[in-house]
Amino acid sequence: MNNKEFIAEMARRMEMTTKESSALVQGLCAEIETFLGDEDSISLPNFGTFEVKKKLERVVVSPSTKQRMLVPPKMVIGFKASANVKELLKKLK
Amino acid sequence: MNNKISLQDLAASFAVRKGLPKKQAELFVRTMFEIVQEYVLKEGLVKIKGLGTFKLISVESRSSVDVSTGERIQIESHSKITFTPDKGLADQVNKPFAGFTTVILNPDTKLEDMEAMELNESLLPELKPEELVEDSETEDLPDVEIEEVMPADGEEAGNVAEYEPEAEDSVVTLGEQIEQPVAEQEEEKDMKNESKMVDTEVIRQMVKNAVNKEMKKQRGVVLSWGWVAMCMLLVVALLIGSFVLGYYMGGDAHRPSSTQTVESKVTVKKAKEVKPVKAVVEDTAKSQVAPITSAAPTELQVKPVEAKPVAKYEQMPGGAYEIVGVKGEHVMKAGDNLLRIARKTYGDPALSSYIVFFNHIENPDLVPLGAVLKLPELVKK
C-alpha cells in the first residue's frame, strides 16, 4: 500500500475528500515528528510504540580497505509492535 | 524530553495544530493506525509520506539458548513489523548529532589513550569551582552565583568538593532569577545609579582592605589551598559588601533588586572583570526597549512583574498551584503549542492554563509567532 492508496483509504473511512485527508495526514506526521524530535516516545494502544534511542559512537573496520573508522553517535527511531499485534502476527502464520 | 505520549496527547496536540475538534482528531489518529495495521498484515507494506514505511518481514527460525536453563532451544520462524522512518523524520530525530560524520582513524590512534585522558580530567576537581565562577560571569549574570556561594561560609574550608554542586546549581538557575530584579530595576534605575557610584567606591575600599588582611593570613598556607582561599575571600568580601550596602541604602537595601545588583558589582571589582557590569546594564537597557518595540501581547506580559515588584504575582483563581516566580521564557516558534510547552516545563500539559493566565493570553489557540511567553514558577498549594 503506497501513500496514495493510504490517503484514499483514509478519506473513505473519515468521509472526507482525499485533499483534506492528505493535509491532515501530513499535519499528523509533522506532529509526530515534533514529538519524536523532542525525544518523547509515542505509545499507541493496539498498534505499538515509537521511541527515540541513542546509538553510541563506535569504531568499525572497513572489510575491503581494513581502515578503522569512527562512526559518530546518532539518534534513531525504534518501533515496537504492541502485544496484540504480535498475537495477530502469530495467527498469520 | 523522554515523556510518554499517549494517543490522547498526540490527538490533542494534533487538534490544536489543525484546528479540529478533539474528538475528531482522536478518531483520525486511531483510524490512521488501524489502517496501517490492517494493511501491513494484509499486503505486507504501508508507506506514508512524511512518516515512513511499515513492513512485514519474516524472521527465519534459529537456534538459541534458554537464558534460565541453559538448554538449546529452537526459535520458530515468525513475522514481525518493522518501521523505517522517512529521511525527514530520521534527520529531525538525529538533529543533535547532525553535524557529525564518520572519520577515518589514524592507525596509530589507540583507544586506551582516550580512556586514560578521560580519567585524568576527572582527577582535577579542584579546578572546577574557579572555572565555574568564570563561566557564570561570562554569562552576564554574576549576582545569583554569589548568593549561592554565601551559605557555604560556615563550612569547613577544606571541602572544595562541596562548592562544586552549588556553583553548578547557580549556573542552572541563573536565567530564572535574574529576570525579576532586572524588571524592577527599570523603575528606579536612574535614581539609584548616582547613589551607587558613591557606594561602590566605598565598598571597593572595604573589599581591598579585607582582601589584604586575608592575604597576609593565608600566605603561609600550602599552594593547593589556594582555591579554597579564593572562595573564602569571595565570601568574606561579599558579606562586608552587603553590610556596608545595607548601612548606606537603609530600608531600600532590603529589596532584592538593589542588593543583588550591588553585590554583583563587588565581585566584579574583586575579580578584576568589568564585563558583567556592562552586561547587567545592557540587559536592563534591552528589557526597557522591549515593551516599546514589540506587539501588544508582550506589553501585557511585562505588566504583572512591574506592577508588583515584591515577588507577588497575581494568582490563578481556584488553581491548585501557586505562582511564586518566573521560571523562564519561551519564544514561540512555528509548530509550538502551549500544551507541549507546559509538558516540557512542568511535565503536565494541563498546566498550560497557568501559562495562559500568567501571560494574559486572550486566545490560547492563537499565539503569534515570536511572542515571548513568561513561564511561571509553580508551587503546589
Side-chain angles (χ1 to χ4, degrees):
Chain A
M1 189 187 214
N2 59 25
N3 191 53
K4 213 166 153 193
E5 287 163 359
F6 174 74
I7 299 285
E9 180 68 17
M10 203 68 213
R12 192 177 66 75
R13 291 206 193 178
M14 293 299 288
E15 291 166 357
M16 48 174 70
T17 65
T18 46
K19 220 175 170 182
E20 282 170 330
S21 75
S22 164
L24 286 177
V25 167
Q26 224 171 60
L28 184 53
C29 291
E31 199 58 45
I32 293 172
E33 193 174 312
T34 36
F35 273 124
L36 291 177
D38 287 348
E39 294 172 41
D40 292 335
S41 66
I42 303 175
S43 50
L44 302 156
N46 299 332
F47 186 69
T49 310
F50 296 95
E51 59 184 348
V52 179
K53 292 177 192 160
K54 186 181 174 187
K55 298 274 184 216
L56 288 177
E57 72 270 25
R58 64 205 153 95
V59 174
V60 296
V61 180
S62 155
S64 54
T65 61
K66 303 278 184 256
Q67 268 173 328
R68 287 199 308 164
M69 289 181 286
L70 183 68
V71 180
K74 61 180 170 186
M75 309 289 269
V76 294
I77 299 172
F79 171 71
K80 232 189 237 168
S82 73
N84 66 335
V85 172
K86 281 182 184 163
E87 283 300 309
L88 288 174
L89 283 171
K90 267 186 202 162
K91 271 185 214 158
L92 206 73
K93 271 260 103 181
Chain B
M1 290 276 171
N2 299 320
N3 288 317
K4 268 221 146 126
I5 308 296
S6 69
L7 188 141
Q8 282 75 18
D9 298 328
L10 179 65
S13 201
F14 173 54
V16 171
R17 177 185 282 244
K18 283 289 171 188
L20 285 176
K22 221 173 178 177
K23 276 258 167 63
Q24 206 189 340
E26 212 174 302
L27 184 65
F28 191 88
V29 179
R30 231 180 261 279
T31 317
M32 174 162 162
F33 288 104
E34 263 168 30
I35 294 176
V36 174
Q37 194 209 88
E38 205 180 306
Y39 279 83
V40 87
L41 294 180
K42 210 153 80 183
E43 297 183 7
L45 182 87
V46 177
K47 245 183 194 161
I48 302 173
K49 235 192 216 154
L51 192 66
T53 311
F54 294 91
K55 216 175 186 176
L56 190 69
I57 59 164
S58 61
V59 183
E60 279 183 29
S61 64
R62 63 176 195 271
S63 60
S64 176
V65 175
D66 191 309
V67 212
S68 48
T69 60
E71 278 172 54
R72 296 189 69 79
I73 48 167
Q74 186 78 8
I75 296 178
E76 291 294 307
S77 73
H78 60 279
S79 320
K80 69 176 187 181
I81 297 175
T82 61
F83 170 67
T84 318
D86 259 13
K87 187 106 180 54
L89 179 56
D91 285 348
Q92 176 67 31
V93 169
N94 195 33
K95 230 177 188 174
F97 300 125
F100 294 141
T101 48
T102 307
V103 287
I104 299 168
L105 287 176
N106 190 326
D108 301 334
T109 316
K110 286 193 186 99
L111 290 172
E112 293 76 36
D113 293 351
M114 279 164 76
E115 277 160 25
M117 269 168 68
E118 275 165 28
L119 263 175
N120 275 344
E121 274 165 34
S122 64
L123 280 175
L124 298 168
E126 316 99 277
L127 278 178
K128 279 187 180 163
E130 180 68 7
E131 278 168 8
L132 280 167
V133 167
E134 275 169 16
D135 278 351
S136 51
E137 272 173 1
T138 49
E139 271 175 37
D140 307 347
L141 305 159
D143 50 354
V144 185
E145 182 260 319
I146 296 151
E147 275 198 340
E148 298 283 330
V149 178
M150 269 170 70
D153 186 30
E155 287 173 22
E156 273 189 279
N159 275 338
V160 183
E162 281 185 31
Y163 285 78
E164 213 178 302
E166 280 169 14
E168 267 169 3
D169 277 350
S170 73
V171 176
V172 178
T173 52
L174 286 175
E176 301 165 16
Q177 302 195 13
I178 187 69
E179 279 165 16
Q180 196 203 331
V182 170
E184 286 169 0
Q185 226 181 312
E186 283 173 36
E187 297 165 8
E188 318 132 317
K189 192 190 159 211
D190 291 346
M191 183 183 79
K192 263 189 212 157
N193 263 356
E194 290 165 32
S195 60
K196 256 185 229 155
M197 293 301 274
V198 186
D199 284 345
T200 39
E201 276 303 311
V202 181
I203 293 163
R204 203 195 295 183
Q205 279 296 319
M206 296 288 289
V207 171
K208 248 187 217 165
N209 290 345
V211 170
N212 285 341
K213 240 184 262 169
E214 288 293 320
M215 280 301 211
K216 274 174 205 160
K217 271 190 217 161
Q218 299 282 345
R219 213 158 265 172
V221 181
V222 203
L223 193 71
S224 65
W225 287 61
W227 298 118
V228 186
M230 283 295 284
C231 290
M232 286 296 292
L233 278 178
L234 197 83
V235 171
V236 170
L238 260 171
L239 281 174
I240 294 171
S242 52
F243 270 125
V244 173
L245 180 82
Y247 184 74
Y248 278 91
M249 301 288 283
D252 202 31
H254 293 298
R255 309 181 63 160
S257 66
S258 51
T259 329
Q260 281 174 7
T261 327
V262 182
E263 270 173 7
S264 76
K265 289 194 178 186
V266 175
T267 14
V268 168
K269 295 269 147 68
K270 204 191 149 279
K272 308 233 166 31
E273 277 235 7
V274 195
K275 229 194 265 166
V277 181
K278 266 192 217 154
V280 171
V281 176
E282 269 168 21
D283 267 2
T284 323
K286 253 185 243 160
S287 51
Q288 273 179 328
V289 179
I292 304 162
T293 49
S294 55
T298 330
E299 272 180 67
L300 281 172
Q301 291 155 19
V302 182
K303 263 180 194 164
V305 187
E306 277 181 346
K308 304 190 174 176
V310 197
K312 269 280 169 193
Y313 297 90
E314 215 177 322
Q315 295 302 328
M316 178 114 141
Y321 288 84
E322 200 177 345
I323 299 172
V324 295
V326 182
K327 197 182 174 80
E329 272 183 359
H330 184 89
V331 181
M332 292 300 281
K333 301 188 296 280
D336 264 353
N337 66 52
L338 297 173
L339 292 177
R340 182 174 298 122
I341 296 168
R343 192 203 317 280
K344 272 182 135 182
T345 322
Y346 310 112
D348 184 0
L351 295 180
S352 64
S353 56
Y354 283 88
I355 302 178
V356 173
F357 174 80
F358 195 62
N359 291 288
H360 299 259
I361 298 169
E362 274 167 29
N363 182 358
D365 291 339
L366 196 75
V367 183
L369 280 184
V372 181
L373 300 182
K374 281 201 170 12
L375 305 173
E377 175 86 60
L378 299 178
V379 171
K380 193 147 192 155
K381 275 178 189 167

